């Protein structure tokens, strides 16, 4: 299972491709893609957004479901999803969103 991620060009925030081609700020709200064809479709949407200068650095990343919640597989992606490790009071981990 994969999701499509990038950085928002306007402010550099880590974002994930969500429903209807919208970029969301929580990995838990991302659309998931299974199989090469679906991933290719997701990447095409992301590359279209990159071409429109909405995001930069579009790529796919592996995720898994833990208790029904999307969780990145790799440590790097877990850190990108949570925010800075040196100042946990800032970033996405500091926001109280359970979605």
């Amino acid at each position: 299972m994969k999701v499509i991620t990038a950085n928002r060009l306007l402010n550099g925030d880590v974002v994930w491709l969500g429903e209807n081609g919208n970029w969301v700020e929580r990995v838990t709200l991302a659309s998931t893609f299974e199989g090469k064809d679906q991933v290719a479709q997701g990447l095409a949407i992301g590359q279209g957004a990159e071409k429109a200068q909405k995001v930069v650095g579009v790529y796919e990343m592996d995720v898994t479901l833990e208790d029904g919640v999307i969780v990145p597989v790799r440590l790097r992606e877990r850190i990108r999803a949570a925010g800075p490790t040196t100042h946990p009071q800032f970033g996405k981990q500091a926001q109280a969103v359970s979605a």
Side-chain angles (χ1 to χ4, degrees):
M1 179 184 321
K2 296 185 182 285
V3 297
I4 307 300
T5 186
N7 289 84
R8 185 172 286 134
L9 195 56
L10 188 61
N11 56 13
D13 275 356
V14 177
V15 289
W16 295 267
L17 184 61
E19 290 186 26
N20 301 319
N22 294 317
W23 293 93
V24 296
E25 295 183 357
R26 293 273 170 202
V27 68
T28 56
L29 301 176
S31 294
T32 58
F33 301 91
E34 297 273 1
K36 287 183 178 181
D37 290 341
Q38 282 190 2
V39 172
Q41 287 178 332
L43 283 172
I45 293 169
Q47 290 163 351
E50 192 168 30
K51 197 171 189 175
Q53 299 186 340
K54 294 180 181 176
V55 296
V56 65
V58 174
Y59 63 94
E60 66 192 60
M61 57 177 257
D62 293 321
V63 294
T64 187
L65 286 179
E66 292 182 8
D67 297 325
V69 177
I70 298 171
V71 177
V73 171
R74 295 185 57 211
L75 177 61
R76 176 185 188 272
E77 300 303 338
R78 287 180 186 237
I79 292 170
R80 286 182 78 236
T85 56
T86 55
H87 297 286
Q89 70 274 26
F90 302 120
K92 296 180 181 193
Q93 73 270 34
Q95 301 170 3
V97 175
S98 60

